[in-house]
Amino acid sequence: MKKFSRYTPAARVGIVVGVALVAIGVIGLVVDRASVVLWWTAIDAVCIVFDALFPVSLVALIVYLIWAYRKEALVAQGPRPTNLVRSSVDWRIAGVCGGLARWWAIDSLTVRIIVLLLFVASPALTVFIYLILTLILPRA
């Protein structure tokens, strides 16, 4: 296993976001398994965490975008396509974020972080839009 400092900055951001999501999932499991007496207290604590999660993640996104802009890490590799398509190379679920990243000529990690932030703000709307784009956009 590589040391954390040996990963690229983009990979470090992905690792930190992944660890944070796993921690939130573990908290959700603990809350689900908590006793009846501590149940409401734990629910209140999770609600407070989620109320603070959106503003904190928004600030983190802004800091990341400023840092990436100064390091010129936002520029995507390869030519910009003439039409908007789902990516067949840079994809995780359906290629929508990779296709949007190539269309806007930015790094795909930035698009994925923005989609994750939108998912925290409104999960149902984000999933709906993602599914619509998956159905509408052709595969590259």
PDB file of all heavy atoms in Angstrom, residues 15 41 52 55 64 71 85 93 113 123-124 127 129-130 140:
ATOM      1  N   ILE A  15      -9.762   9.978  -2.009  1.00  0.00           N
ATOM      2  CA  ILE A  15      -9.605   9.139  -0.820  1.00  0.00           C
ATOM      3  C   ILE A  15     -10.276   9.783   0.378  1.00  0.00           C
ATOM      4  O   ILE A  15     -10.997   9.120   1.138  1.00  0.00           O
ATOM      5  CB  ILE A  15      -8.108   8.870  -0.550  1.00  0.00           C
ATOM      6  CG1 ILE A  15      -7.533   7.966  -1.642  1.00  0.00           C
ATOM      7  CG2 ILE A  15      -7.899   8.251   0.821  1.00  0.00           C
ATOM      8  CD1 ILE A  15      -6.023   7.847  -1.608  1.00  0.00           C
ATOM      9  N   THR A  41     -31.417  10.624  20.599  1.00  0.00           N
ATOM     10  CA  THR A  41     -30.226  11.447  20.749  1.00  0.00           C
ATOM     11  C   THR A  41     -29.289  11.235  19.567  1.00  0.00           C
ATOM     12  O   THR A  41     -28.719  12.189  19.033  1.00  0.00           O
ATOM     13  CB  THR A  41     -29.497  11.100  22.066  1.00  0.00           C
ATOM     14  OG1 THR A  41     -30.434  11.208  23.136  1.00  0.00           O
ATOM     15  CG2 THR A  41     -28.338  12.023  22.306  1.00  0.00           C
ATOM     16  N   ALA A  52     -24.730  20.368   8.942  1.00  0.00           N
ATOM     17  CA  ALA A  52     -23.439  21.040   8.779  1.00  0.00           C
ATOM     18  C   ALA A  52     -22.671  20.514   7.580  1.00  0.00           C
ATOM     19  O   ALA A  52     -21.753  21.172   7.090  1.00  0.00           O
ATOM     20  CB  ALA A  52     -22.607  20.868  10.044  1.00  0.00           C
ATOM     21  N   PRO A  55     -22.916  22.892   4.057  1.00  0.00           N
ATOM     22  CA  PRO A  55     -22.076  24.101   3.999  1.00  0.00           C
ATOM     23  C   PRO A  55     -20.578  23.789   4.043  1.00  0.00           C
ATOM     24  O   PRO A  55     -19.788  24.425   3.341  1.00  0.00           O
ATOM     25  CB  PRO A  55     -22.499  24.910   5.225  1.00  0.00           C
ATOM     26  CG  PRO A  55     -23.807  24.373   5.618  1.00  0.00           C
ATOM     27  CD  PRO A  55     -23.854  22.958   5.162  1.00  0.00           C
ATOM     28  N   TYR A  64     -11.154  23.628  -3.035  1.00  0.00           N
ATOM     29  CA  TYR A  64     -10.551  22.726  -4.014  1.00  0.00           C
ATOM     30  C   TYR A  64     -10.504  23.359  -5.405  1.00  0.00           C
ATOM     31  O   TYR A  64      -9.503  23.255  -6.108  1.00  0.00           O
ATOM     32  CB  TYR A  64     -11.330  21.406  -4.072  1.00  0.00           C
ATOM     33  CG  TYR A  64     -10.950  20.559  -5.256  1.00  0.00           C
ATOM     34  CD1 TYR A  64      -9.738  19.877  -5.288  1.00  0.00           C
ATOM     35  CD2 TYR A  64     -11.780  20.457  -6.369  1.00  0.00           C
ATOM     36  CE1 TYR A  64      -9.364  19.119  -6.383  1.00  0.00           C
ATOM     37  CE2 TYR A  64     -11.423  19.706  -7.460  1.00  0.00           C
ATOM     38  CZ  TYR A  64     -10.211  19.033  -7.464  1.00  0.00           C
ATOM     39  OH  TYR A  64      -9.846  18.293  -8.552  1.00  0.00           O
ATOM     40  N   LYS A  71      -3.202  25.568  -9.590  1.00  0.00           N
ATOM     41  CA  LYS A  71      -2.248  24.538 -10.005  1.00  0.00           C
ATOM     42  C   LYS A  71      -2.478  24.095 -11.451  1.00  0.00           C
ATOM     43  O   LYS A  71      -1.798  23.209 -11.941  1.00  0.00           O
ATOM     44  CB  LYS A  71      -2.358  23.303  -9.096  1.00  0.00           C
ATOM     45  CG  LYS A  71      -1.953  23.540  -7.682  1.00  0.00           C
ATOM     46  CD  LYS A  71      -0.455  23.644  -7.594  1.00  0.00           C
ATOM     47  CE  LYS A  71      -0.048  23.738  -6.143  1.00  0.00           C
ATOM     48  NZ  LYS A  71       1.376  23.789  -5.989  1.00  0.00           N
ATOM     49  N   VAL A  85     -21.639  13.703 -25.137  1.00  0.00           N
ATOM     50  CA  VAL A  85     -21.859  12.254 -25.100  1.00  0.00           C
ATOM     51  C   VAL A  85     -21.375  11.715 -23.764  1.00  0.00           C
ATOM     52  O   VAL A  85     -20.611  12.367 -23.057  1.00  0.00           O
ATOM     53  CB  VAL A  85     -21.109  11.529 -26.244  1.00  0.00           C
ATOM     54  CG1 VAL A  85     -21.658  11.929 -27.593  1.00  0.00           C
ATOM     55  CG2 VAL A  85     -19.626  11.793 -26.178  1.00  0.00           C
ATOM     56  N   ILE A  93     -20.030   4.987 -13.271  1.00  0.00           N
ATOM     57  CA  ILE A  93     -21.347   4.345 -13.267  1.00  0.00           C
ATOM     58  C   ILE A  93     -21.876   4.246 -14.700  1.00  0.00           C
ATOM     59  O   ILE A  93     -22.087   3.160 -15.212  1.00  0.00           O
ATOM     60  CB  ILE A  93     -22.339   5.114 -12.369  1.00  0.00           C
ATOM     61  CG1 ILE A  93     -21.846   5.089 -10.920  1.00  0.00           C
ATOM     62  CG2 ILE A  93     -23.733   4.500 -12.461  1.00  0.00           C
ATOM     63  CD1 ILE A  93     -22.654   5.926  -9.975  1.00  0.00           C
ATOM     64  N   ILE A 113     -17.146  15.589  -7.873  1.00  0.00           N
ATOM     65  CA  ILE A 113     -17.304  16.234  -6.564  1.00  0.00           C
ATOM     66  C   ILE A 113     -18.517  17.153  -6.573  1.00  0.00           C
ATOM     67  O   ILE A 113     -19.287  17.190  -5.606  1.00  0.00           O
ATOM     68  CB  ILE A 113     -16.019  16.999  -6.187  1.00  0.00           C
ATOM     69  CG1 ILE A 113     -14.894  16.005  -5.892  1.00  0.00           C
ATOM     70  CG2 ILE A 113     -16.251  17.897  -4.983  1.00  0.00           C
ATOM     71  CD1 ILE A 113     -13.547  16.637  -5.670  1.00  0.00           C
ATOM     72  N   PRO A 123     -30.830  14.530  -2.980  1.00  0.00           N
ATOM     73  CA  PRO A 123     -30.557  13.209  -3.558  1.00  0.00           C
ATOM     74  C   PRO A 123     -31.521  12.810  -4.670  1.00  0.00           C
ATOM     75  O   PRO A 123     -31.089  12.324  -5.709  1.00  0.00           O
ATOM     76  CB  PRO A 123     -30.674  12.261  -2.365  1.00  0.00           C
ATOM     77  CG  PRO A 123     -30.583  13.107  -1.160  1.00  0.00           C
ATOM     78  CD  PRO A 123     -31.043  14.457  -1.550  1.00  0.00           C
ATOM     79  N   ALA A 124     -32.802  13.022  -4.454  1.00  0.00           N
ATOM     80  CA  ALA A 124     -33.786  12.570  -5.441  1.00  0.00           C
ATOM     81  C   ALA A 124     -33.624  13.310  -6.770  1.00  0.00           C
ATOM     82  O   ALA A 124     -33.639  12.689  -7.838  1.00  0.00           O
ATOM     83  CB  ALA A 124     -35.198  12.771  -4.897  1.00  0.00           C
ATOM     84  N   VAL A 127     -30.317  12.152  -8.578  1.00  0.00           N
ATOM     85  CA  VAL A 127     -30.454  10.822  -9.182  1.00  0.00           C
ATOM     86  C   VAL A 127     -31.354  10.892 -10.408  1.00  0.00           C
ATOM     87  O   VAL A 127     -31.070  10.271 -11.440  1.00  0.00           O
ATOM     88  CB  VAL A 127     -30.987   9.804  -8.151  1.00  0.00           C
ATOM     89  CG1 VAL A 127     -31.396   8.508  -8.805  1.00  0.00           C
ATOM     90  CG2 VAL A 127     -29.937   9.552  -7.082  1.00  0.00           C
ATOM     91  N   ILE A 129     -31.896  13.501 -12.451  1.00  0.00           N
ATOM     92  CA  ILE A 129     -31.187  14.153 -13.542  1.00  0.00           C
ATOM     93  C   ILE A 129     -30.110  13.225 -14.112  1.00  0.00           C
ATOM     94  O   ILE A 129     -29.936  13.143 -15.327  1.00  0.00           O
ATOM     95  CB  ILE A 129     -30.582  15.493 -13.073  1.00  0.00           C
ATOM     96  CG1 ILE A 129     -31.701  16.491 -12.811  1.00  0.00           C
ATOM     97  CG2 ILE A 129     -29.598  16.047 -14.099  1.00  0.00           C
ATOM     98  CD1 ILE A 129     -31.249  17.784 -12.181  1.00  0.00           C
ATOM     99  N   TYR A 130     -29.403  12.516 -13.229  1.00  0.00           N
ATOM    100  CA  TYR A 130     -28.368  11.589 -13.694  1.00  0.00           C
ATOM    101  C   TYR A 130     -28.976  10.483 -14.557  1.00  0.00           C
ATOM    102  O   TYR A 130     -28.428  10.131 -15.601  1.00  0.00           O
ATOM    103  CB  TYR A 130     -27.622  10.992 -12.498  1.00  0.00           C
ATOM    104  CG  TYR A 130     -26.339  10.300 -12.874  1.00  0.00           C
ATOM    105  CD1 TYR A 130     -25.148  10.999 -12.921  1.00  0.00           C
ATOM    106  CD2 TYR A 130     -26.315   8.954 -13.198  1.00  0.00           C
ATOM    107  CE1 TYR A 130     -23.960  10.380 -13.272  1.00  0.00           C
ATOM    108  CE2 TYR A 130     -25.135   8.323 -13.553  1.00  0.00           C
ATOM    109  CZ  TYR A 130     -23.964   9.040 -13.585  1.00  0.00           C
ATOM    110  OH  TYR A 130     -22.808   8.418 -13.946  1.00  0.00           O
ATOM    111  N   ALA A 140     -20.128   7.437 -26.180  1.00  0.00           N
ATOM    112  CA  ALA A 140     -19.096   7.899 -27.127  1.00  0.00           C
ATOM    113  C   ALA A 140     -18.524   6.731 -27.889  1.00  0.00           C
ATOM    114  O   ALA A 140     -18.436   5.624 -27.436  1.00  0.00           O
ATOM    115  CB  ALA A 140     -17.989   8.621 -26.381  1.00  0.00           C
TER     116      ALA A 140
END
